[in-house]
Amino acid sequence: MTKTGWTMRLGEACVLALAVAAFSAVPTALRTSGAGGTFLDGLLVGTAALLPLVTLSIVLLRAAGRGLRGVLGAGAGPTAALGIALWIGLALPALAVLAGLLKALTHHRGLGGATFGVLGAFVVVACALVARRMVEIGQGLVARGVRPLHVAAGGAVVSVLPLLVVAAWLYRASGGTGSASVSAALVDLAIAVLATALVASIELSDRLLKLASAFGVPFAAVLMIAASARLESSPPLGRAVQAGGGLAATMLSALERWTDRDGDGMGAHFGGGDCDEGDPRRHPGAEDVPGDGIDQDCSGADTPRPDAPAKAPAATPSSAPPPSSATPAPAPRPSAPEPAGKALDPSRPDILLITLDTVRADHTSAYGYDQKTTPHLEELAARGVLFEHAYATGSDTQRALAPLVSGKPLSQTPHNRREWPTLADEIDTVAERMKRAGYATAAVVSFTWLSEDRGFAQGFDRFEPVYREEHPERSVTGALATRAALSVLEDLGKKDAPIFLWIHLFDAHERYLEHAGLRFGRGQEGLYDGEIAFVDKQIGQIAAFVSKWSRASRVAWIVHGSHGEGFDEHGDKGHGSSLYEEMIRVPLVVALPGGRPGRYGDGAVSTLDVAPTVLALGNAPLDGVSGVSLLPYARLEPSAARRPPVLAYASKRVALIDWPLKLMVIERKKQNRNFLFDLGADPRETKDLSEGRPDDVARLVKLAAEIAPSP
């Protein structure tokens, strides 16, 4: 092959790839515009990101097509490419619709998967038959004199249009914020594959081929350079593309991570905002130490000390740095003291309920852990009451969090039967009860399930889902939640009504990310400890705000873990699968205005008790609510009766804790399997006592049945 031949073919591939990449980048441009960028910028960056991949694919497909034509005949290559493209274009949207219907209509994973496998096979075969028939129709049209290019264009519309409809639906469903980024990436890839397969079968005329040979490679190079320059000159554009999600966003994110030289998780290029690639302690989102002269969070300036006098304004306005859209919004300042005569009812304090998702008690220094993971929780416990034996209502998220809203176990809370259920409107939620009691209610949530659509916003005057800004399972949301919480306190603190604010912090949930300055060892457990310390730092920032707030003396704190996390202590990792201590024992601290510090360890308590404690603090009705109020224990009342034993649930498992004894029951068809542990003597649950103490097992089994029915 001559040099000229290779040049012509490469130029032709670049021209065709430019058309495919620009067409495939339209969904990226739409999502970028919805995430704060512009459509044209998104189109430019998306086209440049896809161009190398598409060019290589076209070159390979052309080579494969020549080999296929050599075996099956001259017309086999284009016809086969068109048929495959039509087949994929018809089958993928049909399978997506089938999967969506089965997910909505079935509640059993095994049954749904089997049904999808059977029906999906029929769908694929049917689409293959339809695609074959469409190719035959196209061949007939060509035989009657219709130009092959027109037939190929019609096939492209038929095969790609359903995927574009799916892409548009995903864009609307995500509100333009890219929350469906994984699905969007798959749709983008399908569009690019189909368009590449169709274009690879097109033969340019001699005139167009000469133009492509002369200008194809230079034009592609200019476009790549222009896109790179635009990204470098506008870091917010790169963040907007990544926030939008999709195939181009995934590639851009990979390039950004490639530029991360100091291991802090952020690069300095391709949308990354790292201002110092030589120092892992400096990156966007890092905690900026006030007054140390170092800009740790890459905001453009060091945060001044709280007690530092305000600097005089610069002599000339032109010397001030220009505002930047990349600079984080400053934290609100505590509101000024209330004027005299605007006294609030001291019997109804402001209530801060903070949920620490996936934080187990024995990995917090407040509970004696040898790593200093929770110094701020320790400070709160030093002026409140720490409950030594607190347990989650379940080891999975659904059972653990639903009672905070409904005041009842999930099994007794009206909801649909989906894996991530929607809570029914008929529930008289904790927030609704507090609102009727005269409270201003607000929630800041960090997990996608805790949404208005799923019923979690019922009764809240303000509902702030910070996961719309960052995906909680792939990024960091703690700083966003803290910022939103402080904004809520600032706004509601200006009013007369007492405040009930629920703050849900998610970052300790897997996947574990490393935070600068918070390293507690290698491996997953070390990263997990760092995440706990990062969440604890958010408590410290909220506490620092409250300490200078005009209403500081009337704030009641309730801080608790949702459930724990296993690291193979008993053969299980993560959470939701078992009921050993690592998965259900959680931290719980209650600090009341004017209360006495202490610890409560006489018996076990449950996170089911959080809702009645909140309602009791607010003098709101408790009728129909499960659990018991912890106020007598939080006030260290000598006459407080010992709380009844607590229950926790997992799939086909139940645990009853009658401290120090713990019964675990694994449900089986023929006969349940019982385990008995003495947590006082064996806190790690290494010795099963069930065979040697049958009377205790029988008593606790009977007690579990009396306390509550099976979930």
Side-chain angles (χ1 to χ4, degrees):
M1 179 59 63
T2 65
K3 181 178 179 181
T4 303
W6 277 111
T7 303
M8 293 182 68
R9 289 190 175 180
L10 182 58
E12 180 187 24
C14 285
V15 169
L16 295 176
L18 281 168
V20 171
F23 177 75
S24 304
V26 170
T28 296
L30 289 171
R31 291 191 294 268
T32 300
S33 64
T38 66
F39 179 87
L40 291 178
D41 279 338
L43 188 64
L44 174 66
V45 173
T47 302
L50 297 173
L51 184 58
L53 181 63
V54 175
T55 301
L56 178 62
S57 300
I58 289 178
V59 170
L60 295 176
L61 284 173
R62 283 296 181 87
R66 288 194 298 272
L68 186 63
R69 287 194 293 272
V71 176
L72 299 179
T79 300
L82 180 62
I84 292 172
L86 287 170
W87 183 25
I88 296 174
L90 294 171
L92 284 179
L95 290 173
V97 171
L98 176 62
L101 288 174
L102 289 175
K103 185 176 181 181
L105 298 177
T106 61
H107 312 294
H108 190 281
R109 288 186 177 182
L111 177 61
T115 305
F116 179 80
V118 174
L119 296 182
F122 282 106
V123 168
V124 170
V125 171
C127 289
L129 295 175
V130 172
R132 178 182 177 183
R133 179 58 181 159
M134 293 177 68
V135 170
E136 292 174 351
I137 293 173
Q139 289 175 322
L141 292 174
V142 172
R144 293 173 187 168
V146 179
R147 295 183 62 183
L149 183 61
H150 294 166
V151 174
V157 171
V158 172
S159 59
V160 176
L161 185 60
L163 287 169
L164 290 177
V165 172
V166 173
W169 176 80
L170 287 172
Y171 173 73
R172 290 194 301 270
S174 64
T177 61
S179 62
S181 57
V182 176
S183 300
L186 294 176
V187 171
D188 288 356
L189 179 61
I191 292 174
V193 168
L194 287 176
T196 301
L198 290 166
V199 168
S201 64
I202 296 176
E203 297 289 346
L204 297 181
S205 65
D206 291 340
R207 181 182 177 186
L208 292 177
L209 193 58
K210 290 181 180 179
L211 291 174
S213 175
F215 300 105
V217 174
F219 189 82
V222 168
L223 185 139
M224 296 284 291
I225 294 172
S228 299
R230 184 73 181 109
L231 280 172
E232 287 300 302
S233 64
S234 178
L237 170 60
R239 289 191 288 273
V241 175
Q242 292 192 39
L247 182 58
T250 302
M251 299 174 68
L252 201 64
S253 179
L255 287 171
E256 183 205 336
R257 288 194 295 272
W258 178 67
T259 67
D260 178 20
R261 295 289 183 262
D262 55 15
D264 59 11
M266 291 190 178
H269 306 283
F270 303 104
D274 197 338
C275 56
D276 189 344
E277 272 300 334
D279 188 349
R281 296 168 298 178
R282 298 186 64 200
H283 59 83
E287 183 179 8
D288 195 13
V289 179
D292 66 347
I294 301 174
D295 176 23
Q296 282 96 348
D297 61 359
C298 295
S299 64
D302 180 33
T303 302
R305 295 183 185 276
D307 55 351
K311 292 184 178 181
T316 59
S318 60
S319 65
S324 170
S325 59
T327 302
R333 298 178 180 178
S335 55
E338 295 285 342
K342 217 176 185 181
L344 297 166
D345 184 355
S347 67
R348 297 197 301 166
D350 295 321
I351 304 170
L352 297 186
L353 170 60
I354 302 181
T355 298
L356 312 178
D357 206 301
T358 325
V359 173
R360 54 189 275 186
D362 64 347
H363 272 243
T364 67
S365 52
Y367 280 76
Y369 191 47
D370 56 3
Q371 301 274 15
K372 199 72 170 178
T373 53
T374 55
H376 299 292
L377 186 62
E378 289 180 61
E379 292 175 5
L380 191 63
R383 54 190 177 89
V385 172
L386 181 145
F387 290 82
E388 294 179 353
H389 315 302
Y391 290 88
T393 52
S395 61
D396 59 275
T397 302
Q398 298 92 320
R399 289 184 176 93
L401 294 183
L404 300 176
V405 176
S406 68
K408 298 179 181 180
L410 179 62
S411 61
Q412 299 172 21
T413 298
H415 64 279
N416 62 18
R417 305 306 300 174
R418 300 175 71 176
E419 180 183 3
W420 293 99
T422 297
L423 305 185
D425 293 339
E426 67 195 68
I427 300 170
D428 190 11
T429 67
V430 172
E432 287 173 322
R433 294 168 184 249
M434 294 295 286
K435 190 173 181 179
R436 291 199 304 271
Y439 270 75
T441 58
V444 176
V445 294
S446 308
F447 182 45
T448 50
W449 178 47
L450 306 178
S451 67
E452 184 176 359
D453 293 341
R454 299 287 183 169
F456 284 88
Q458 298 178 50
F460 288 109
D461 299 315
R462 286 184 58 173
F463 191 77
E464 304 285 346
V466 299
Y467 52 77
R468 291 179 178 173
E469 299 181 58
E470 293 287 351
H471 195 291
E473 293 173 292
R474 295 193 294 270
S475 187
V476 180
T477 57
L480 298 173
T482 299
R483 183 180 63 186
L486 299 188
S487 176
V488 169
L489 291 176
E490 171 70 12
D491 293 343
L492 297 184
K494 299 173 183 177
K495 302 177 182 179
D496 295 342
I499 300 167
F500 167 52
L501 172 60
W502 176 33
I503 306 168
H504 171 257
L505 300 174
F506 187 77
D507 287 301
H509 191 286
E510 195 180 17
R511 96 184 144 106
Y512 312 126
L513 302 177
E514 187 171 329
H515 301 277
L518 299 175
R519 293 181 174 88
F520 294 88
R522 297 181 179 181
Q524 289 293 92
E525 285 195 65
L527 289 173
Y528 175 68
D529 290 343
E531 291 278 34
I532 292 177
F534 177 75
V535 170
D536 180 75
K537 185 175 292 186
Q538 310 311 310
I539 298 176
Q541 293 183 14
I542 297 170
F545 175 93
V546 170
S547 67
K548 299 179 181 180
W549 198 28
S550 62
R551 302 161 70 137
S553 62
R554 51 174 289 107
V555 173
W557 296 77
I558 303 175
V559 182
H560 73 100
S562 65
H563 51 72
E565 189 84 329
F567 291 96
D568 208 21
E569 292 90 343
H570 294 90
D572 294 302
K573 295 182 180 181
H575 54 268
S577 55
S578 70
L579 296 172
Y580 287 101
E581 293 289 278
E582 59 267 17
M583 290 197 189
I584 61 171
R585 184 172 174 241
V586 295
L588 175 60
V589 172
V590 179
L592 303 177
R596 292 180 295 150
R599 301 174 77 93
Y600 179 79
D602 291 344
V605 298
S606 171
T607 55
L608 186 64
D609 303 330
V610 169
T613 304
V614 169
L615 295 172
L617 277 169
N619 294 326
L622 287 160
D623 52 293
V625 173
S626 302
V628 300
S629 169
L630 298 177
L631 289 188
Y633 315 107
R635 290 169 178 158
L636 300 178
E637 297 178 2
S639 60
R642 179 185 170 99
R643 192 215 188 278
V646 302
L647 288 170
Y649 295 99
S651 178
K652 295 185 178 181
R653 285 168 169 78
V654 61
L656 181 137
I657 301 94
D658 185 16
W659 181 262
L661 294 183
K662 176 179 178 180
L663 171 75
M664 284 203 313
V665 180
I666 299 178
E667 299 175 0
R668 294 179 175 176
K669 290 183 179 180
K670 294 184 178 180
Q671 185 176 6
N672 292 342
R673 176 72 171 93
N674 298 321
F675 296 85
L676 181 68
F677 301 102
D678 184 343
L679 298 176
D682 179 25
R684 296 186 180 276
E685 300 166 294
T686 60
K687 186 177 181 181
D688 176 23
L689 306 175
S690 59
E691 291 187 4
R693 299 172 66 170
D695 292 342
D696 283 324
V697 171
R699 177 180 66 84
L700 295 178
V701 167
K702 181 181 178 182
L703 186 58
E706 293 173 350
I707 293 176
S710 60

PDB file of all heavy atoms in Angstrom, residues 8 239 374 424:
ATOM      1  N   MET A   8      -4.934   8.813   2.248  1.00  0.00           N
ATOM      2  CA  MET A   8      -6.325   8.999   1.840  1.00  0.00           C
ATOM      3  C   MET A   8      -7.267   8.252   2.783  1.00  0.00           C
ATOM      4  O   MET A   8      -8.304   8.776   3.185  1.00  0.00           O
ATOM      5  CB  MET A   8      -6.518   8.522   0.400  1.00  0.00           C
ATOM      6  CG  MET A   8      -5.777   9.380  -0.638  1.00  0.00           C
ATOM      7  SD  MET A   8      -6.052   8.832  -2.332  1.00  0.00           S
ATOM      8  CE  MET A   8      -7.785   9.213  -2.544  1.00  0.00           C
ATOM      9  N   ARG A 239     -15.950  20.370  34.683  1.00  0.00           N
ATOM     10  CA  ARG A 239     -16.798  19.872  35.766  1.00  0.00           C
ATOM     11  C   ARG A 239     -18.244  19.709  35.303  1.00  0.00           C
ATOM     12  O   ARG A 239     -18.939  18.794  35.731  1.00  0.00           O
ATOM     13  CB  ARG A 239     -16.705  20.809  36.969  1.00  0.00           C
ATOM     14  CG  ARG A 239     -15.355  20.735  37.683  1.00  0.00           C
ATOM     15  CD  ARG A 239     -15.397  21.458  39.013  1.00  0.00           C
ATOM     16  NE  ARG A 239     -15.437  22.901  38.846  1.00  0.00           N
ATOM     17  CZ  ARG A 239     -14.360  23.661  38.725  1.00  0.00           C
ATOM     18  NH1 ARG A 239     -13.170  23.102  38.716  1.00  0.00           N
ATOM     19  NH2 ARG A 239     -14.462  24.965  38.604  1.00  0.00           N
ATOM     20  N   THR A 374     -13.080  10.003  65.999  1.00  0.00           N
ATOM     21  CA  THR A 374     -14.257  10.854  66.256  1.00  0.00           C
ATOM     22  C   THR A 374     -14.025  11.821  67.412  1.00  0.00           C
ATOM     23  O   THR A 374     -14.746  11.792  68.418  1.00  0.00           O
ATOM     24  CB  THR A 374     -15.499   9.983  66.552  1.00  0.00           C
ATOM     25  OG1 THR A 374     -15.191   9.089  67.639  1.00  0.00           O
ATOM     26  CG2 THR A 374     -15.918   9.181  65.330  1.00  0.00           C
ATOM     27  N   ALA A 424     -45.746   5.435  52.119  1.00  0.00           N
ATOM     28  CA  ALA A 424     -47.094   5.860  51.751  1.00  0.00           C
ATOM     29  C   ALA A 424     -47.421   7.245  52.309  1.00  0.00           C
ATOM     30  O   ALA A 424     -46.929   7.645  53.375  1.00  0.00           O
ATOM     31  CB  ALA A 424     -48.117   4.836  52.249  1.00  0.00           C
TER      32      ALA A 424
END
